[in-house]
Amino acid sequence: MALLLHRFRPYLAKSLKQYDRHQFGDDLAAGITVGVVALPLAMAFAIASGVKPEAGIFTAIIAGFLISALGGSRVQIGGPAGAFIVIVYAIIARYGLGNLLVATVLAGVLLFMMGLFRIGSLIRYIPVAIVIGFTNGIAVLIMVSQVKDFLGLSIASMPADFVSALVAIARAMATFNPIACALALGCFLIVFTWPRLGACLERRTGSHGALVRFSTRLPGSIIALVLATVVVAWLGLPVETIGTRFGGIPQQLPSFALPDLSWESAKNLVVPTLTIALLGAIESLLCARIADNMIDDRHDPNQELMAQGVANFVTPFFGGIPATGTIARTTTNVRSGARSPVAGIIHAATLLAIVLIGAPLAAGVPLAALAAILMVVAYNMGEWREFRKLARLSVPYRVTMVSTFALTVVVDLTVAVEIGLVLACVSFIYRISSLTRTERIETPRSGIEAFRVHGSLFFGSVGTIELLLEDIDRKAPQVLLLDLAHVINIDTTGLDALDALRRGLRRRDAALVLCNLGEQPLSLVRRTGFDHLLEARNLCTDFAGAMARAMELVDGRPDVGAAEAAP
């Protein structure tokens, strides 16, 4: 059993063996940069999820440290993610904050077990249509959830589901705050256009614009946040801030507290636990694969899941929320020159230093600015171009992707993934069964019908064998020869169809001869005893031998069913 378990081997231990001062310098610069980038995102994700902003910051600190220290990727940054916003908000609305923490702890255990039992590699087999469908759906839900603060609407409690949220927004339009909306629009334009502006200025200034290059490479979210905070404080604008809604951020380390763990709670949290674990696994491994492509490396998916499990198990005890790998911060880490997981650890330390030193400044951050940042995050996380490609893609792909997207938005992410997987499986079965076909082979003697079978004989393609039974009724051959050289596999249902064919021939005083069985089909035939039912001489290694056996049966007419009496 021990051989089936994955060995706990963090990438950090490997990278430190040849670590030097130059690498530390690169990691230090990257870690500080990512820490600054992570601050507004952590607060925004927490507020959008229905918790206090410090919950997002503490999650980024603790989970970010653990995922980098224990993970299987060289440059991945962990923390609260936009993909979790809708899930966390819905769980809090239905089960309460205490049960969210319990579900996150249980999801951490499940994630660790998934990595321990090497399930990380299987996550890669989730079809891309499902991933794109629920990612785009989550992006739409994030945008809808931010309309309240973007427009400055007065809504006491934003509903968790899409339709109710639209109704609440429509009813609250009378409370529209034009100042908050103008501030949000300004921040949105800054965040959205800042990278393009920086690239344009760098091209114009060239080597003489070092200060311009430095300033334009600062994250647009930080620029927007600082400018919005200064403008609101200077002009005294009537907009909601972190201070007016939450009372600011505590200038202290997160304290340890036990969630209310109980068996009754655990029994009611199966679906939330599975949702957090599944989404966390998909997001973290998807992010790690993107990072691999950027640095030409290869992560350990099972080690990454174990690290995600530890992070999600520990973080709730300090008031944190679910965490996973984050694409935006990971790509920033790579582009900033990160060389090892040390950069992720420095990112967590940077956030901790910001909390201990500058927490009081966060009270003046306007919520409209955070809403604008999240709007850009949601837009960037969506694969919107895929919708334009749908007309060129297959019908099953379109159905799977659109269904997953619609169900994510209107119903629930868990349901969307479940239905998406069912549709993908049905599509796969249809495609494979459509590739299974028979090809008639000319024979030198009447009374012998021969076919070459292509594809896979499984439960989805047994109709191909059933058609041969109809052919037998029309032509009444004395011997049916099947060449299975091009059959890649047979399952028990396919073997049962072959046995029904054998019995049908036996009732007509005819015989079934098989040849050229591959390794898997031959193994199944022998393990189930079908070779004895068929009779050993009717199971041939090549087509020439099978044809010779068929002519022997036609000419000599020996007992073709010696192994079994006719039913």
Side-chain angles (χ1 to χ4, degrees):
M1 180 65 179
L3 295 176
L4 299 176
L5 301 180
H6 187 76
R7 186 178 175 184
F8 193 84
R9 293 177 296 185
Y11 199 104
L12 179 63
K14 175 183 175 181
S15 63
L16 290 179
K17 291 180 179 179
Q18 298 178 338
Y19 201 68
D20 56 31
R21 186 178 302 174
H22 177 70
Q23 288 178 315
F24 177 74
D26 293 338
D27 286 338
L28 180 64
I32 293 174
T33 302
V34 178
V36 173
V37 172
L39 178 64
L41 294 177
M43 292 191 297
F45 291 153
I47 293 171
S49 300
V51 297
K52 294 183 177 180
E54 60 263 30
I57 298 177
F58 292 161
T59 301
I61 295 171
I62 300 170
F65 171 81
L66 292 173
I67 290 171
S68 293
L70 305 177
S73 173
R74 180 150 62 98
V75 293
Q76 174 141 281
I77 301 295
F84 274 122
I85 289 176
V86 179
I87 304 302
V88 172
Y89 192 90
I91 293 174
I92 293 176
R94 183 171 181 180
Y95 300 98
L97 178 59
N99 283 328
L100 167 68
L101 302 181
V102 175
T104 306
V105 170
L106 296 176
V109 175
L110 183 57
L111 280 166
F112 187 88
M113 298 302 291
M114 289 168 66
L116 186 64
F117 288 99
R118 301 176 180 269
I119 300 178
S121 302
L122 300 180
I123 300 295
R124 298 178 178 179
Y125 296 119
I126 294 179
V128 66
I130 296 177
V131 175
I132 292 174
F134 80 68
T135 301
N136 287 0
I138 289 173
V140 170
L141 290 174
I142 292 174
M143 291 180 184
V144 171
S145 70
Q146 295 310 298
V147 171
K148 169 182 176 290
D149 289 329
F150 197 95
L151 301 180
L153 304 180
S154 297
I155 301 176
S157 179
M158 193 73 171
D161 65 281
F162 177 72
V163 177
S164 299
L166 291 182
V167 172
I169 290 170
R171 290 176 176 173
M173 286 304 295
T175 63
F176 170 71
N177 185 339
I179 297 177
C181 182
L183 186 68
L185 282 173
C187 291
F188 181 89
L189 291 175
I190 291 173
V191 177
F192 192 78
T193 61
W194 192 257
R196 299 164 180 80
L197 176 63
C200 179
L201 290 176
E202 282 189 32
R203 285 195 299 270
R204 292 189 176 185
T205 57
S207 60
H208 303 290
L211 181 60
V212 172
R213 288 199 303 276
F214 173 76
S215 61
T216 54
R217 286 180 181 179
L218 288 174
S221 57
I222 294 295
I223 302 298
L225 205 66
V226 171
L227 288 177
T229 303
V230 170
V231 168
V232 169
W234 183 34
L235 301 177
L237 299 179
V239 296
E240 268 198 300
T241 64
I242 289 179
T244 59
R245 183 180 293 184
F246 301 103
I249 295 175
Q251 193 176 7
Q252 61 185 22
L253 293 170
S255 57
F256 180 86
L258 284 172
D260 185 16
L261 295 169
S262 69
W263 175 241
E264 289 300 321
S265 297
K267 288 191 297 183
N268 296 326
L269 296 174
V270 173
V271 173
T273 298
L274 292 175
T275 303
I276 293 172
L278 179 62
L279 183 57
I282 294 173
E283 283 290 308
S284 63
L285 297 186
L286 177 63
C287 177
R289 289 177 64 183
I290 292 173
D292 286 349
N293 293 333
M294 296 179 69
I295 62 175
D296 193 22
D297 197 11
R298 188 172 184 180
H299 73 283
D300 183 342
N302 297 304
Q303 180 63 40
E304 190 62 34
L305 287 187
M306 286 194 282
Q308 299 286 340
V310 173
N312 281 282
F313 180 84
V314 173
T315 304
F317 292 104
F318 295 90
I321 55 179
T324 185
T326 56
I327 296 176
R329 276 157 279 173
T330 298
T331 55
T332 302
N333 192 38
V334 173
R335 290 168 181 165
S336 300
R339 305 288 295 276
S340 76
V342 173
I345 295 174
I346 294 173
H347 132 270
T350 301
L351 282 170
L352 179 60
I354 292 173
V355 169
L356 295 179
I357 298 172
L361 300 175
V365 173
L367 298 182
L370 293 178
I373 292 172
L374 281 183
M375 284 283 193
V376 178
V377 169
Y379 176 80
N380 289 334
M381 74 180 288
E383 298 284 348
W384 312 113
R385 295 178 181 176
E386 294 298 321
F387 286 115
R388 295 201 297 267
K389 297 179 182 177
L390 284 178
R392 303 195 301 268
L393 300 173
S394 64
V395 173
Y397 183 95
R398 279 182 275 175
V399 171
T400 302
M401 177 180 159
V402 173
S403 298
T404 306
F405 170 76
L407 289 170
T408 299
V409 173
V410 179
V411 184
D412 178 71
L413 174 65
T414 307
V415 175
V417 173
E418 290 172 353
I419 299 299
L421 286 174
V422 170
L423 291 173
C425 289
V426 171
S427 172
F428 175 79
I429 293 169
Y430 171 76
R431 286 178 175 272
I432 296 300
S433 62
S434 65
L435 296 175
T436 304
R437 59 185 177 85
T438 58
E439 175 188 352
R440 187 180 296 277
I441 304 173
E442 295 295 329
T443 60
R445 186 85 46 94
S446 62
I448 301 175
E449 289 289 327
F451 293 88
R452 185 172 291 111
V453 184
H454 298 262
S456 174
L457 290 180
F458 71 117
F459 64 90
S461 62
V462 293
T464 303
I465 301 300
E466 293 171 352
L467 290 176
L468 292 179
L469 280 172
E470 298 178 7
D471 195 69
I472 291 170
D473 291 333
R474 292 195 305 270
K475 298 187 177 181
Q478 294 172 294
V479 178
L480 177 64
L481 190 158
L482 296 182
D483 182 356
L484 304 182
H486 299 286
V487 173
I488 56 177
N489 81 294
I490 301 177
D491 70 355
T492 52
T493 305
L495 190 64
D496 185 67
L498 287 177
D499 189 45
L501 183 62
R502 179 194 63 81
R503 287 185 276 108
L505 288 165
R506 182 67 186 87
R507 283 193 293 268
R508 296 162 178 79
D509 196 26
L512 174 65
V513 176
L514 304 179
C515 69
N516 287 326
L517 275 74
E519 181 179 352
Q520 188 275 334
L522 184 60
S523 173
L524 182 63
V525 164
R526 288 174 175 170
R527 284 186 286 111
T528 57
F530 183 70
D531 54 339
H532 296 297
L533 295 176
L534 187 65
E535 189 178 353
R537 289 187 298 168
N538 292 351
L539 188 63
C540 305
T541 57
D542 55 45
F543 184 77
M547 185 58 70
R549 174 58 178 164
M551 289 191 288
E552 177 187 341
L553 290 169
V554 171
D555 293 338
R557 302 298 298 150
D559 184 4
V560 298
E564 178 190 12

